[in-house]
């Protein structure tokens, strides 16, 4: 069966950078703090105050980024809403558990209870926008967003849907940050800051004048063997009509933690050789669903026809002081624990 073409029509973010903006491409804000909350946009431009006050921050950010891409694309009735989140509505989950522990079951807020589950974000998007089609949430640790993309990809290839609102959303609270710091997941010296994630993008089977790029393939492998991974990547490239020579750069989720970075270095060296290596977590921060920022950043770089120097890893940046002009295709690499890898292929139009 011939592979159908799928496009990323629009993508928006709320992060430690200027929200709902691509200013990070020319003037990124770098943070020295180990833990940085997302910069809030003007929520009242999108949500009524009486509605917003009953929503958690993760819900407000998800709604705003989603409403923005729907407005930008003119696709106000997507066939599917697919979300990736590892910890879900962490703030409200903590609040309800704390209330249960301190006050018993007599005074627990029903709002906190109803909005504390992982699928709250996707459900809220469906209810708020009155879209009652396919609606699901993936909670697969650091591959949560990747599986949301994979589900969307497969359903579009099967012809079951033609448009989809895909998001990666994650929030952080102080107590959970301290726990993650103790495990060494964040907060180590030399690591990028821990941040929050809100990325929404619209995927479509039809190309338009405002299309950012083509999503030309995605594959997930449960092997750490380089030969198996290479075979999976070459198969993905072949279906997209590309070879390894057609890849401009490889974008990985390096964050300055040796345990996290080693699998990326292995894949980059053994699969992609001398391809320039890109990274994004030093700009947007580390979090379980940070891979959504990688897809967002790569899509806009391909649309603008330039990969800025600050996205090129130090090992390659000195040879590319002006960035990379006219990128043709970028492969995004993500992994969880060095055991499971995802590869996403984005291609310039």
């Amino acid at each position: 069966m011939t592979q159908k073409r799928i496009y990323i029509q629009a993508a928006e973010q709320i992060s430690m950078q200027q929200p709902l903006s691509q200013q990070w491409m020319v003037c990124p804000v770098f943070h020295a703090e180990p833990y940085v909350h997302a910069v809030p946009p003007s929520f009242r431009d999108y949500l009524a105050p009486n509605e917003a006050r009953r929503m958690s921050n993760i819900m407000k950010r998800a709604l705003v980024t989603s409403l923005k891409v729907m407005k930008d694309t003119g696709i106000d009735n997507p066939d599917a809403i697919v979300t990736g989140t590892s910890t879900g509505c962490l703030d409200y989950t903590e609040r309800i558990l704390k209330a249960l522990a301190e006050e018993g079951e007599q005074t627990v807020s029903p709002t906190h209870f109803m909005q504390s589950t992982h699928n709250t974000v996707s459900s809220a998007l469906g209810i708020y926008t009155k879209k009652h089609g396919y609606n699901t949430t993936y909670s697969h640790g650091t591959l949560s967003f990747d599986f949301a993309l994979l589900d969307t990809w497969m359903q579009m290839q099967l012809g079951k849907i033609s448009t989809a609102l895909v998001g990666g959303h994650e929030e952080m609270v102080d107590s959970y940050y301290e726990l993650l710091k103790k495990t060494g997941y964040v907060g180590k010296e030399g690591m990028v800051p821990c941040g929050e994630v809100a990325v929404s993008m619209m995927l479509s089977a039809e190309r338009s004048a405002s299309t950012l790029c083509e999503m030309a393939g995605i594959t997930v492998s449960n092997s750490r063997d380089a030969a198996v991974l290479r075979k999976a990547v070459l198969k993905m490239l072949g279906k997209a009509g590309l070879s390894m020579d057609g890849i401009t750069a490889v974008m990985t989720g390096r964050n300055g933690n040796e345990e996290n970075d080693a699998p990326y270095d292995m894949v980059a060296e053994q699969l992609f050789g001398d391809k320039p290596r890109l990274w994004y977590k030093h700009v947007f921060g580390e979090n379980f669903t940070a891979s959504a920022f990688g897809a967002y950043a790569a899509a806009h770089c391909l649309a603008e026809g330039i990969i800025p120097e600050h996205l090129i890893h130090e090992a390659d940046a000195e040879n590319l002081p002006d960035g990379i002009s006219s990128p043709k295709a970028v492969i995004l690499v993500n992994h969880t624990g060095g055991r499971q890898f995802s590869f996403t292929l984005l291609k310039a139009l």
Side-chain angles (χ1 to χ4, degrees), residues 4-7 9 156 161-164 203-207:
K4 296 180 180 178
R5 304 188 73 173
I6 297 171
Y7 303 94
Q9 301 288 6
M156 284 189 169
I161 61 174
S162 59
T163 56
L203 271 64
S204 173
E206 299 292 333
R207 178 177 171 178

Side-chain angles (χ1 to χ4, degrees), residues 22 78-79 144 160 334 348:
Q22 279 66 255
D79 297 332
S144 297
K160 292 186 176 182
N334 191 24

Side-chain angles (χ1 to χ4, degrees), residues 43-94:
F43 289 120
R44 66 177 58 196
D45 293 343
Y46 298 88
L47 304 171
N50 63 322
E51 294 175 325
R53 69 181 180 85
R54 294 193 296 269
M55 296 180 185
S56 64
N57 284 326
I58 189 174
M59 283 183 58
K60 287 189 287 187
R61 292 193 288 256
L63 271 171
V64 168
T65 53
S66 298
L67 292 172
K68 183 70 164 57
V69 298
M70 291 169 67
K71 179 181 178 181
D72 290 347
T73 60
I75 301 174
D76 57 3
N77 190 22
D79 297 332
I81 297 174
V82 190
T83 298
T85 179
S86 179
T87 56
C89 298
L90 192 58
D91 183 19
Y92 278 17
T93 299
E94 182 185 62

Side-chain angles (χ1 to χ4, degrees), residues 201-272:
M201 54 181 61
M202 186 69 72
L203 271 64
S204 173
E206 299 292 333
R207 178 177 171 178
S208 71
S210 60
T211 299
L212 297 179
C213 67
E214 179 182 351
M215 180 181 168
I218 181 169
T219 185
V220 176
S221 175
N222 292 315
S223 175
R224 66 178 71 186
D225 182 83
V228 175
L229 296 176
R230 183 176 181 82
K231 183 177 180 181
V233 170
L234 290 176
K235 182 178 180 180
M236 177 181 68
L237 290 173
K239 288 184 177 180
L242 291 174
S243 66
M244 199 66 78
D245 292 337
I247 302 303
T248 302
V250 179
M251 180 173 279
T252 72
R254 289 181 59 95
N255 65 8
N257 184 335
E258 184 177 350
E259 187 176 340
N260 169 79
D261 295 350
Y264 288 124
D265 292 339
M266 180 275 291
V267 167
E269 292 169 5
Q270 298 191 31
L271 272 65
F272 303 107

Side-chain angles (χ1 to χ4, degrees), residues 29 50 75 88 196 322 327:
V29 179
N50 63 322
I75 301 174
E196 298 179 298
D322 298 320

